[in-house]
Amino acid sequence: MTPRRRKFWGWGYEGEGLTAEELALIARLAAARLGLDELRAQNPPDISDIALRRPRVTPPAAIAAFSSAEPWDRAEHTLGKSFHDLVRGLRGEYANPPDLVAYPADENQLTAVLEWASDGRIAAIPFGGGSSVAGGIEPDVGDDYPGAVSVDMRRMGRVLEIDRASRAALIEAGALGPALEDQLRPHGLTLRHFPQSFEVSSLGGWIATRSGGHFATLHTHIDEFVEGLRVVTPRGVVETRRLPGDGAGVSADRFFIGSEGTLGVITRAWMRLQDRPRFRASASVAFASFEDAWRAAREIALSGLWPANCRLLDHDEALLSGSGDGSRSILIVTFESADHDPAPWMARAAEICRSHRGELPEAATSRSGDGAAGLWRSAFIRGGHLHDAYVRLGLVQDTFETAITWDRFPEFHEGVLEATRHAIEEQCGRGLVSCRFAYVYPDGPAPYYTVVAPGRAGAELRQWAAIKEAASDAVLRLGGTITHHHAVGRYHRRWYDRQRPDLFADALRAAKRALDPKGVMNPGVLVDP
Ligand SMILES: Cc1cc2nc3c(=O)[nH]c(=O)nc-3n(C[C@H](O)[C@H](O)[C@H](O)COP(=O)(O)OP(=O)(O)OC[C@H]3O[C@@H](n4cnc5c(N)ncnc54)[C@H](O)[C@@H]3O)c2cc1C
């Protein structure tokens, strides 16, 4: 059977996506919400319309045997999935294609690629699912490099070993979300790490970007599930010891978690697993005031109840996602367990919500994700396709996410909204910026903002860049992080360089030189050699 081919532009696989009716519906809803007459969708690009620069390097036969320089493969590995990527892709602007895409099936092949890259000073870009929204996989490496190879890990995607006693598994880094879960399901186990990009993102990509997954509290990032890992660097292999906890100095695992392909290629990891949950309790609570809603979320985060989901949608976010009518903020709280009925935890969370004027009729908690929670979930799962639709409709649509401590949140939120709204108005005349909390910690939330505004044909990227700059400047100025889970990549470098202490940058550079002396691993990301 021929494997499904991933789209070279847009989200997911060929033949999949929104239907014409769904696209028309989104166009009508977006036009109504933005007060526009009509929105027309542009067709996705065809591969025959894409002119790629000729490959500049030729690999030795041993590497060519598992590599491709076909236009589809090169186009698919040129752009990630941010607004900036999607607009350029739709316009047929593929300025930085890799010269070659290598698909190593094992560490020997991978090592051969990295040695060839190091010897020829060819940029090597690790590639998992290519779902980066931070410019992490684009071979935009400047003229210092005679060529670039995208190192796609899809052929290393197996669950190699399961340790039932410790409830952990050794998993190859190229496993995409669904294939990874398919291999764990027969054992009654799950990694339970479900970023919105789950369908087309990989374990290696999650670890390399410190992705945020299913759990809104406690185990929010993939970091918490890594028990040990193995990385192939241009200097050789680093393998850490798998341990439930470790106090032996600076953590080698943490050193590679979040390294974004700049130090080497993560090839496999021992991951802590979960039993599949059997019990669930969920509620959607409406709040007339956003302030009441976030104060309730804060109290739940401080309570030690640790809900699996504690997602707050502000009025606009509830409206945009179809979970509400825009007159209320909605807090979705869910508890799950493989071991016990979480109803008492749910009852206590409901009590907290009511004490903050949350509207939750008696017995409104449910054991499944129906109601507003269900509506929000289906919009969430279709997120990748929705982004494509917005771009095809000529809208400026972007998301940015951060984290901030509670004491500074009110001022921070107001300042970020004001700066973003001002930029939207200046650039687009009108538009919306909405907010949700994807994660909440005892000491602060991780707010996630979505911008939707009308684009001017041909000027969408300039409009987007000005809004992104205003929002990112405000986030940094007011004390937040440039990213909570979307990674630094190339797009956030400017702000990351300001956020990161200078001496730490020196230390990171020195570490990179030790592992990657020729500076070929993902140049331009995180730190310059
Ligand atoms: C619609 C949509 C929804 C999203 N939702 C979420 C979300 O809920 N949570 C979240 O955290 N992120 C989300 N993202 C962002 C993105 O999916 C994550 O950053 C994800 O972790 C990237 O995984 P990937 O396998 O696609 O990595 P890629 O995009 O292929 O690569 C990302 C970075 O990791 C490096 N890398 C990849 N594999 C390896 C490896 N094996 N070894 C070393 N480096 C490697 C790359 O070089 C690059 O720098 C979303 C993106 C989209 C488009």
PDB file of all heavy atoms in Angstrom, residues 11 81 126-133 136-137 173 195-197 200-202 204-206 208-209 211-212 260-261 264-266 384 485-486 522, ligand 1:
ATOM      1  N   TRP A  11      -1.906  21.966   5.891  1.00  0.00           N
ATOM      2  CA  TRP A  11      -1.924  21.005   6.982  1.00  0.00           C
ATOM      3  C   TRP A  11      -2.343  19.606   6.519  1.00  0.00           C
ATOM      4  O   TRP A  11      -3.300  19.476   5.741  1.00  0.00           O
ATOM      5  CB  TRP A  11      -2.904  21.484   8.060  1.00  0.00           C
ATOM      6  CG  TRP A  11      -2.877  20.614   9.279  1.00  0.00           C
ATOM      7  CD1 TRP A  11      -3.855  19.779   9.718  1.00  0.00           C
ATOM      8  CD2 TRP A  11      -1.776  20.463  10.179  1.00  0.00           C
ATOM      9  NE1 TRP A  11      -3.436  19.135  10.850  1.00  0.00           N
ATOM     10  CE2 TRP A  11      -2.155  19.534  11.153  1.00  0.00           C
ATOM     11  CE3 TRP A  11      -0.498  21.027  10.248  1.00  0.00           C
ATOM     12  CZ2 TRP A  11      -1.322  19.146  12.191  1.00  0.00           C
ATOM     13  CZ3 TRP A  11       0.344  20.641  11.285  1.00  0.00           C
ATOM     14  CH2 TRP A  11      -0.078  19.712  12.244  1.00  0.00           C
ATOM     15  N   LYS A  81       4.553  25.736   9.337  1.00  0.00           N
ATOM     16  CA  LYS A  81       3.090  25.886   9.295  1.00  0.00           C
ATOM     17  C   LYS A  81       2.613  27.180   9.962  1.00  0.00           C
ATOM     18  O   LYS A  81       1.468  27.268  10.385  1.00  0.00           O
ATOM     19  CB  LYS A  81       2.432  24.680   9.988  1.00  0.00           C
ATOM     20  CG  LYS A  81       2.722  23.339   9.313  1.00  0.00           C
ATOM     21  CD  LYS A  81       2.027  23.214   7.965  1.00  0.00           C
ATOM     22  CE  LYS A  81       2.264  21.873   7.295  1.00  0.00           C
ATOM     23  NZ  LYS A  81       3.555  21.781   6.600  1.00  0.00           N
ATOM     24  N   PRO A 126      17.246  19.016  11.280  1.00  0.00           N
ATOM     25  CA  PRO A 126      16.385  17.917  11.716  1.00  0.00           C
ATOM     26  C   PRO A 126      14.913  18.242  11.445  1.00  0.00           C
ATOM     27  O   PRO A 126      14.472  19.384  11.645  1.00  0.00           O
ATOM     28  CB  PRO A 126      16.661  17.816  13.220  1.00  0.00           C
ATOM     29  CG  PRO A 126      17.992  18.462  13.413  1.00  0.00           C
ATOM     30  CD  PRO A 126      18.069  19.537  12.382  1.00  0.00           C
ATOM     31  N   PHE A 127      14.158  17.241  11.010  1.00  0.00           N
ATOM     32  CA  PHE A 127      12.761  17.446  10.608  1.00  0.00           C
ATOM     33  C   PHE A 127      11.931  16.291  11.158  1.00  0.00           C
ATOM     34  O   PHE A 127      12.219  15.126  10.915  1.00  0.00           O
ATOM     35  CB  PHE A 127      12.695  17.458   9.075  1.00  0.00           C
ATOM     36  CG  PHE A 127      11.349  17.801   8.482  1.00  0.00           C
ATOM     37  CD1 PHE A 127      11.101  19.070   7.970  1.00  0.00           C
ATOM     38  CD2 PHE A 127      10.330  16.851   8.410  1.00  0.00           C
ATOM     39  CE1 PHE A 127       9.864  19.391   7.399  1.00  0.00           C
ATOM     40  CE2 PHE A 127       9.098  17.165   7.848  1.00  0.00           C
ATOM     41  CZ  PHE A 127       8.862  18.426   7.339  1.00  0.00           C
ATOM     42  N   GLY A 128      10.905  16.632  11.970  1.00  0.00           N
ATOM     43  CA  GLY A 128      10.018  15.601  12.513  1.00  0.00           C
ATOM     44  C   GLY A 128       8.734  15.568  11.713  1.00  0.00           C
ATOM     45  O   GLY A 128       8.606  14.852  10.724  1.00  0.00           O
ATOM     46  N   GLY A 129       7.752  16.384  12.134  1.00  0.00           N
ATOM     47  CA  GLY A 129       6.506  16.481  11.373  1.00  0.00           C
ATOM     48  C   GLY A 129       6.469  17.743  10.515  1.00  0.00           C
ATOM     49  O   GLY A 129       5.582  17.918   9.692  1.00  0.00           O
ATOM     50  N   GLY A 130       7.403  18.657  10.747  1.00  0.00           N
ATOM     51  CA  GLY A 130       7.412  19.910   9.984  1.00  0.00           C
ATOM     52  C   GLY A 130       6.309  20.864  10.408  1.00  0.00           C
ATOM     53  O   GLY A 130       5.940  21.763   9.672  1.00  0.00           O
ATOM     54  N   SER A 131       5.780  20.679  11.638  1.00  0.00           N
ATOM     55  CA  SER A 131       4.662  21.527  12.086  1.00  0.00           C
ATOM     56  C   SER A 131       5.142  22.793  12.795  1.00  0.00           C
ATOM     57  O   SER A 131       4.334  23.518  13.378  1.00  0.00           O
ATOM     58  CB  SER A 131       3.745  20.727  13.021  1.00  0.00           C
ATOM     59  OG  SER A 131       4.419  20.455  14.238  1.00  0.00           O
ATOM     60  N   SER A 132       6.436  23.067  12.740  1.00  0.00           N
ATOM     61  CA  SER A 132       6.974  24.245  13.417  1.00  0.00           C
ATOM     62  C   SER A 132       6.219  25.510  13.011  1.00  0.00           C
ATOM     63  O   SER A 132       5.947  25.722  11.831  1.00  0.00           O
ATOM     64  CB  SER A 132       8.456  24.412  13.060  1.00  0.00           C
ATOM     65  OG  SER A 132       8.918  25.661  13.517  1.00  0.00           O
ATOM     66  N   VAL A 133       5.906  26.332  13.998  1.00  0.00           N
ATOM     67  CA  VAL A 133       5.320  27.640  13.698  1.00  0.00           C
ATOM     68  C   VAL A 133       6.313  28.750  14.069  1.00  0.00           C
ATOM     69  O   VAL A 133       5.936  29.908  14.201  1.00  0.00           O
ATOM     70  CB  VAL A 133       3.968  27.842  14.432  1.00  0.00           C
ATOM     71  CG1 VAL A 133       2.868  27.066  13.756  1.00  0.00           C
ATOM     72  CG2 VAL A 133       4.068  27.465  15.910  1.00  0.00           C
ATOM     73  N   GLY A 136      11.365  26.847  12.498  1.00  0.00           N
ATOM     74  CA  GLY A 136      12.386  25.903  12.978  1.00  0.00           C
ATOM     75  C   GLY A 136      12.954  24.993  11.910  1.00  0.00           C
ATOM     76  O   GLY A 136      14.076  24.491  12.060  1.00  0.00           O
ATOM     77  N   ILE A 137      12.214  24.744  10.842  1.00  0.00           N
ATOM     78  CA  ILE A 137      12.702  23.755   9.861  1.00  0.00           C
ATOM     79  C   ILE A 137      13.046  24.350   8.492  1.00  0.00           C
ATOM     80  O   ILE A 137      13.469  23.635   7.596  1.00  0.00           O
ATOM     81  CB  ILE A 137      11.702  22.587   9.674  1.00  0.00           C
ATOM     82  CG1 ILE A 137      10.303  23.073   9.254  1.00  0.00           C
ATOM     83  CG2 ILE A 137      11.603  21.752  10.932  1.00  0.00           C
ATOM     84  CD1 ILE A 137      10.053  23.128   7.798  1.00  0.00           C
ATOM     85  N   ALA A 173      12.374   8.614  17.642  1.00  0.00           N
ATOM     86  CA  ALA A 173      11.988  10.033  17.622  1.00  0.00           C
ATOM     87  C   ALA A 173      11.087  10.415  16.461  1.00  0.00           C
ATOM     88  O   ALA A 173      10.355  11.397  16.533  1.00  0.00           O
ATOM     89  CB  ALA A 173      13.246  10.901  17.594  1.00  0.00           C
ATOM     90  N   PRO A 195      -0.501  17.603  21.673  1.00  0.00           N
ATOM     91  CA  PRO A 195      -0.521  18.983  21.182  1.00  0.00           C
ATOM     92  C   PRO A 195      -1.568  19.087  20.074  1.00  0.00           C
ATOM     93  O   PRO A 195      -1.968  18.057  19.508  1.00  0.00           O
ATOM     94  CB  PRO A 195       0.897  19.183  20.634  1.00  0.00           C
ATOM     95  CG  PRO A 195       1.418  17.815  20.369  1.00  0.00           C
ATOM     96  CD  PRO A 195       0.716  16.889  21.317  1.00  0.00           C
ATOM     97  N   GLN A 196      -1.987  20.279  19.762  1.00  0.00           N
ATOM     98  CA  GLN A 196      -3.016  20.443  18.729  1.00  0.00           C
ATOM     99  C   GLN A 196      -2.509  19.886  17.390  1.00  0.00           C
ATOM    100  O   GLN A 196      -3.284  19.462  16.553  1.00  0.00           O
ATOM    101  CB  GLN A 196      -3.386  21.922  18.585  1.00  0.00           C
ATOM    102  CG  GLN A 196      -4.602  22.157  17.727  1.00  0.00           C
ATOM    103  CD  GLN A 196      -4.932  23.626  17.559  1.00  0.00           C
ATOM    104  OE1 GLN A 196      -4.087  24.486  17.799  1.00  0.00           O
ATOM    105  NE2 GLN A 196      -6.140  23.916  17.148  1.00  0.00           N
ATOM    106  N   SER A 197      -1.186  19.882  17.227  1.00  0.00           N
ATOM    107  CA  SER A 197      -0.571  19.396  15.991  1.00  0.00           C
ATOM    108  C   SER A 197      -0.310  17.898  16.024  1.00  0.00           C
ATOM    109  O   SER A 197       0.388  17.371  15.153  1.00  0.00           O
ATOM    110  CB  SER A 197       0.763  20.120  15.813  1.00  0.00           C
ATOM    111  OG  SER A 197       1.542  19.973  17.003  1.00  0.00           O
ATOM    112  N   VAL A 200       0.332  15.447  12.904  1.00  0.00           N
ATOM    113  CA  VAL A 200       1.527  15.510  12.057  1.00  0.00           C
ATOM    114  C   VAL A 200       2.685  16.187  12.803  1.00  0.00           C
ATOM    115  O   VAL A 200       3.306  17.113  12.305  1.00  0.00           O
ATOM    116  CB  VAL A 200       1.251  16.228  10.711  1.00  0.00           C
ATOM    117  CG1 VAL A 200       2.336  15.849   9.704  1.00  0.00           C
ATOM    118  CG2 VAL A 200      -0.109  15.880  10.142  1.00  0.00           C
ATOM    119  N   SER A 201       2.951  15.720  14.013  1.00  0.00           N
ATOM    120  CA  SER A 201       4.173  16.152  14.704  1.00  0.00           C
ATOM    121  C   SER A 201       4.742  14.922  15.408  1.00  0.00           C
ATOM    122  O   SER A 201       4.033  13.951  15.649  1.00  0.00           O
ATOM    123  CB  SER A 201       3.893  17.304  15.676  1.00  0.00           C
ATOM    124  OG  SER A 201       2.932  16.942  16.635  1.00  0.00           O
ATOM    125  N   SER A 202       6.028  14.978  15.720  1.00  0.00           N
ATOM    126  CA  SER A 202       6.745  13.760  16.121  1.00  0.00           C
ATOM    127  C   SER A 202       7.271  13.854  17.551  1.00  0.00           C
ATOM    128  O   SER A 202       7.456  14.960  18.086  1.00  0.00           O
ATOM    129  CB  SER A 202       7.930  13.560  15.177  1.00  0.00           C
ATOM    130  OG  SER A 202       8.895  14.583  15.401  1.00  0.00           O
ATOM    131  N   GLY A 204      10.323  13.336  18.495  1.00  0.00           N
ATOM    132  CA  GLY A 204      11.592  14.085  18.481  1.00  0.00           C
ATOM    133  C   GLY A 204      11.345  15.583  18.414  1.00  0.00           C
ATOM    134  O   GLY A 204      12.010  16.370  19.085  1.00  0.00           O
ATOM    135  N   GLY A 205      10.361  15.970  17.592  1.00  0.00           N
ATOM    136  CA  GLY A 205      10.016  17.397  17.474  1.00  0.00           C
ATOM    137  C   GLY A 205       9.470  17.921  18.793  1.00  0.00           C
ATOM    138  O   GLY A 205       9.798  19.037  19.217  1.00  0.00           O
ATOM    139  N   TRP A 206       8.642  17.119  19.460  1.00  0.00           N
ATOM    140  CA  TRP A 206       8.069  17.561  20.743  1.00  0.00           C
ATOM    141  C   TRP A 206       9.191  17.805  21.758  1.00  0.00           C
ATOM    142  O   TRP A 206       9.205  18.813  22.464  1.00  0.00           O
ATOM    143  CB  TRP A 206       7.108  16.509  21.315  1.00  0.00           C
ATOM    144  CG  TRP A 206       5.919  16.193  20.451  1.00  0.00           C
ATOM    145  CD1 TRP A 206       5.409  16.976  19.450  1.00  0.00           C
ATOM    146  CD2 TRP A 206       5.111  15.009  20.508  1.00  0.00           C
ATOM    147  NE1 TRP A 206       4.321  16.343  18.891  1.00  0.00           N
ATOM    148  CE2 TRP A 206       4.117  15.145  19.507  1.00  0.00           C
ATOM    149  CE3 TRP A 206       5.128  13.858  21.289  1.00  0.00           C
ATOM    150  CZ2 TRP A 206       3.143  14.161  19.283  1.00  0.00           C
ATOM    151  CZ3 TRP A 206       4.162  12.875  21.072  1.00  0.00           C
ATOM    152  CH2 TRP A 206       3.181  13.033  20.080  1.00  0.00           C
ATOM    153  N   ALA A 208      12.420  18.273  21.131  1.00  0.00           N
ATOM    154  CA  ALA A 208      13.341  19.330  20.684  1.00  0.00           C
ATOM    155  C   ALA A 208      12.745  20.721  20.878  1.00  0.00           C
ATOM    156  O   ALA A 208      13.480  21.703  20.970  1.00  0.00           O
ATOM    157  CB  ALA A 208      13.716  19.118  19.220  1.00  0.00           C
ATOM    158  N   THR A 209      11.400  20.823  20.914  1.00  0.00           N
ATOM    159  CA  THR A 209      10.772  22.149  21.062  1.00  0.00           C
ATOM    160  C   THR A 209      10.110  22.350  22.428  1.00  0.00           C
ATOM    161  O   THR A 209       9.471  23.381  22.648  1.00  0.00           O
ATOM    162  CB  THR A 209       9.674  22.366  20.002  1.00  0.00           C
ATOM    163  OG1 THR A 209       8.686  21.346  20.175  1.00  0.00           O
ATOM    164  CG2 THR A 209      10.228  22.331  18.600  1.00  0.00           C
ATOM    165  N   SER A 211       7.414  20.859  23.662  1.00  0.00           N
ATOM    166  CA  SER A 211       6.022  21.134  23.311  1.00  0.00           C
ATOM    167  C   SER A 211       5.098  20.999  24.518  1.00  0.00           C
ATOM    168  O   SER A 211       5.414  20.326  25.506  1.00  0.00           O
ATOM    169  CB  SER A 211       5.572  20.198  22.193  1.00  0.00           C
ATOM    170  OG  SER A 211       5.377  18.905  22.687  1.00  0.00           O
ATOM    171  N   GLY A 212       3.973  21.668  24.412  1.00  0.00           N
ATOM    172  CA  GLY A 212       2.948  21.617  25.447  1.00  0.00           C
ATOM    173  C   GLY A 212       1.853  20.664  24.989  1.00  0.00           C
ATOM    174  O   GLY A 212       1.398  20.745  23.845  1.00  0.00           O
ATOM    175  N   GLU A 260      16.161  22.226  19.887  1.00  0.00           N
ATOM    176  CA  GLU A 260      15.648  22.647  18.570  1.00  0.00           C
ATOM    177  C   GLU A 260      16.562  22.265  17.407  1.00  0.00           C
ATOM    178  O   GLU A 260      16.742  23.033  16.451  1.00  0.00           O
ATOM    179  CB  GLU A 260      15.350  24.154  18.580  1.00  0.00           C
ATOM    180  CG  GLU A 260      14.313  24.525  19.636  1.00  0.00           C
ATOM    181  CD  GLU A 260      13.768  25.945  19.489  1.00  0.00           C
ATOM    182  OE1 GLU A 260      13.774  26.486  18.380  1.00  0.00           O
ATOM    183  OE2 GLU A 260      13.313  26.492  20.515  1.00  0.00           O
ATOM    184  N   GLY A 261      17.172  21.097  17.505  1.00  0.00           N
ATOM    185  CA  GLY A 261      17.970  20.601  16.379  1.00  0.00           C
ATOM    186  C   GLY A 261      19.315  21.281  16.224  1.00  0.00           C
ATOM    187  O   GLY A 261      19.996  21.078  15.222  1.00  0.00           O
ATOM    188  N   GLY A 264      22.201  18.342  17.746  1.00  0.00           N
ATOM    189  CA  GLY A 264      22.238  16.990  17.197  1.00  0.00           C
ATOM    190  C   GLY A 264      20.812  16.532  16.927  1.00  0.00           C
ATOM    191  O   GLY A 264      19.867  17.328  17.061  1.00  0.00           O
ATOM    192  N   VAL A 265      20.689  15.261  16.555  1.00  0.00           N
ATOM    193  CA  VAL A 265      19.368  14.722  16.245  1.00  0.00           C
ATOM    194  C   VAL A 265      18.978  13.724  17.334  1.00  0.00           C
ATOM    195  O   VAL A 265      19.704  12.747  17.575  1.00  0.00           O
ATOM    196  CB  VAL A 265      19.365  14.012  14.864  1.00  0.00           C
ATOM    197  CG1 VAL A 265      17.969  13.498  14.543  1.00  0.00           C
ATOM    198  CG2 VAL A 265      19.863  14.945  13.774  1.00  0.00           C
ATOM    199  N   ILE A 266      17.873  13.984  17.988  1.00  0.00           N
ATOM    200  CA  ILE A 266      17.357  13.044  18.986  1.00  0.00           C
ATOM    201  C   ILE A 266      16.844  11.835  18.206  1.00  0.00           C
ATOM    202  O   ILE A 266      16.042  11.989  17.270  1.00  0.00           O
ATOM    203  CB  ILE A 266      16.204  13.687  19.795  1.00  0.00           C
ATOM    204  CG1 ILE A 266      16.713  14.927  20.541  1.00  0.00           C
ATOM    205  CG2 ILE A 266      15.573  12.674  20.760  1.00  0.00           C
ATOM    206  CD1 ILE A 266      15.621  15.896  20.951  1.00  0.00           C
ATOM    207  N   GLY A 384      -5.351  22.944  12.473  1.00  0.00           N
ATOM    208  CA  GLY A 384      -4.418  23.076  11.352  1.00  0.00           C
ATOM    209  C   GLY A 384      -5.149  23.429  10.068  1.00  0.00           C
ATOM    210  O   GLY A 384      -4.716  24.297   9.292  1.00  0.00           O
ATOM    211  N   HIS A 485       5.514  27.404  24.596  1.00  0.00           N
ATOM    212  CA  HIS A 485       5.672  26.056  24.035  1.00  0.00           C
ATOM    213  C   HIS A 485       5.808  26.017  22.520  1.00  0.00           C
ATOM    214  O   HIS A 485       5.900  24.936  21.949  1.00  0.00           O
ATOM    215  CB  HIS A 485       4.508  25.158  24.482  1.00  0.00           C
ATOM    216  CG  HIS A 485       3.155  25.670  24.078  1.00  0.00           C
ATOM    217  ND1 HIS A 485       2.431  26.546  24.854  1.00  0.00           N
ATOM    218  CD2 HIS A 485       2.401  25.451  22.992  1.00  0.00           C
ATOM    219  CE1 HIS A 485       1.298  26.826  24.252  1.00  0.00           C
ATOM    220  NE2 HIS A 485       1.256  26.191  23.106  1.00  0.00           N
ATOM    221  N   HIS A 486       5.819  27.149  21.841  1.00  0.00           N
ATOM    222  CA  HIS A 486       5.958  27.120  20.380  1.00  0.00           C
ATOM    223  C   HIS A 486       7.407  27.170  19.912  1.00  0.00           C
ATOM    224  O   HIS A 486       7.656  27.179  18.714  1.00  0.00           O
ATOM    225  CB  HIS A 486       5.183  28.282  19.743  1.00  0.00           C
ATOM    226  CG  HIS A 486       3.727  27.977  19.554  1.00  0.00           C
ATOM    227  ND1 HIS A 486       2.841  28.909  19.097  1.00  0.00           N
ATOM    228  CD2 HIS A 486       3.015  26.845  19.749  1.00  0.00           C
ATOM    229  CE1 HIS A 486       1.629  28.369  19.025  1.00  0.00           C
ATOM    230  NE2 HIS A 486       1.714  27.115  19.425  1.00  0.00           N
ATOM    231  N   ASN A 522      21.252  23.056  12.220  1.00  0.00           N
ATOM    232  CA  ASN A 522      20.169  24.039  12.199  1.00  0.00           C
ATOM    233  C   ASN A 522      20.631  25.478  12.430  1.00  0.00           C
ATOM    234  O   ASN A 522      20.162  26.152  13.381  1.00  0.00           O
ATOM    235  CB  ASN A 522      19.097  23.654  13.228  1.00  0.00           C
ATOM    236  CG  ASN A 522      17.696  23.961  12.707  1.00  0.00           C
ATOM    237  OD1 ASN A 522      17.537  24.522  11.610  1.00  0.00           O
ATOM    238  ND2 ASN A 522      16.685  23.615  13.458  1.00  0.00           N
TER     239      ASN A 522
HETATM  240  C1  LIG B   1      -2.000  23.662  13.923  1.00  0.00           C
HETATM  241  C2  LIG B   1      -0.855  23.629  14.879  1.00  0.00           C
HETATM  242  C3  LIG B   1      -1.083  23.391  16.210  1.00  0.00           C
HETATM  243  C4  LIG B   1      -0.029  23.345  17.121  1.00  0.00           C
HETATM  244  N1  LIG B   1      -0.295  23.053  18.427  1.00  0.00           N
HETATM  245  C5  LIG B   1       0.722  22.947  19.316  1.00  0.00           C
HETATM  246  C6  LIG B   1       0.458  22.597  20.672  1.00  0.00           C
HETATM  247  O1  LIG B   1      -0.674  22.343  21.071  1.00  0.00           O
HETATM  248  N2  LIG B   1       1.521  22.514  21.511  1.00  0.00           N
HETATM  249  C7  LIG B   1       2.792  22.757  21.079  1.00  0.00           C
HETATM  250  O2  LIG B   1       3.710  22.658  21.882  1.00  0.00           O
HETATM  251  N3  LIG B   1       3.067  23.097  19.815  1.00  0.00           N
HETATM  252  C8  LIG B   1       2.077  23.187  18.913  1.00  0.00           C
HETATM  253  N4  LIG B   1       2.343  23.513  17.609  1.00  0.00           N
HETATM  254  C9  LIG B   1       3.746  23.742  17.187  1.00  0.00           C
HETATM  255  C10 LIG B   1       4.472  22.443  16.749  1.00  0.00           C
HETATM  256  O3  LIG B   1       3.539  21.451  16.399  1.00  0.00           O
HETATM  257  C11 LIG B   1       5.376  21.938  17.857  1.00  0.00           C
HETATM  258  O4  LIG B   1       6.492  22.820  17.971  1.00  0.00           O
HETATM  259  C12 LIG B   1       5.885  20.502  17.667  1.00  0.00           C
HETATM  260  O5  LIG B   1       6.523  20.083  18.833  1.00  0.00           O
HETATM  261  C13 LIG B   1       6.827  20.332  16.492  1.00  0.00           C
HETATM  262  O6  LIG B   1       6.985  18.945  16.251  1.00  0.00           O
HETATM  263  P1  LIG B   1       7.434  18.434  14.808  1.00  0.00           P
HETATM  264  O7  LIG B   1       7.729  16.973  14.901  1.00  0.00           O
HETATM  265  O8  LIG B   1       6.456  18.846  13.782  1.00  0.00           O
HETATM  266  O9  LIG B   1       8.804  19.203  14.639  1.00  0.00           O
HETATM  267  P2  LIG B   1       9.349  19.988  13.382  1.00  0.00           P
HETATM  268  O10 LIG B   1       8.448  21.084  13.008  1.00  0.00           O
HETATM  269  O11 LIG B   1       9.728  19.014  12.324  1.00  0.00           O
HETATM  270  O12 LIG B   1      10.675  20.601  14.025  1.00  0.00           O
HETATM  271  C14 LIG B   1      10.591  21.560  15.051  1.00  0.00           C
HETATM  272  C15 LIG B   1      12.003  21.835  15.593  1.00  0.00           C
HETATM  273  O13 LIG B   1      12.513  20.668  16.224  1.00  0.00           O
HETATM  274  C16 LIG B   1      13.686  20.196  15.563  1.00  0.00           C
HETATM  275  N5  LIG B   1      13.583  18.727  15.519  1.00  0.00           N
HETATM  276  C17 LIG B   1      12.586  17.976  14.989  1.00  0.00           C
HETATM  277  N6  LIG B   1      12.841  16.657  15.191  1.00  0.00           N
HETATM  278  C18 LIG B   1      14.025  16.596  15.845  1.00  0.00           C
HETATM  279  C19 LIG B   1      14.827  15.521  16.336  1.00  0.00           C
HETATM  280  N7  LIG B   1      14.469  14.227  16.190  1.00  0.00           N
HETATM  281  N8  LIG B   1      15.994  15.822  16.956  1.00  0.00           N
HETATM  282  C20 LIG B   1      16.401  17.111  17.117  1.00  0.00           C
HETATM  283  N9  LIG B   1      15.676  18.152  16.671  1.00  0.00           N
HETATM  284  C21 LIG B   1      14.498  17.905  16.059  1.00  0.00           C
HETATM  285  C22 LIG B   1      13.668  20.865  14.206  1.00  0.00           C
HETATM  286  O14 LIG B   1      14.967  21.014  13.675  1.00  0.00           O
HETATM  287  C23 LIG B   1      13.009  22.194  14.505  1.00  0.00           C
HETATM  288  O15 LIG B   1      13.930  23.096  15.045  1.00  0.00           O
HETATM  289  C24 LIG B   1       1.301  23.567  16.674  1.00  0.00           C
HETATM  290  C25 LIG B   1       1.538  23.799  15.311  1.00  0.00           C
HETATM  291  C26 LIG B   1       0.471  23.830  14.417  1.00  0.00           C
HETATM  292  C27 LIG B   1       0.740  24.057  12.979  1.00  0.00           C
END
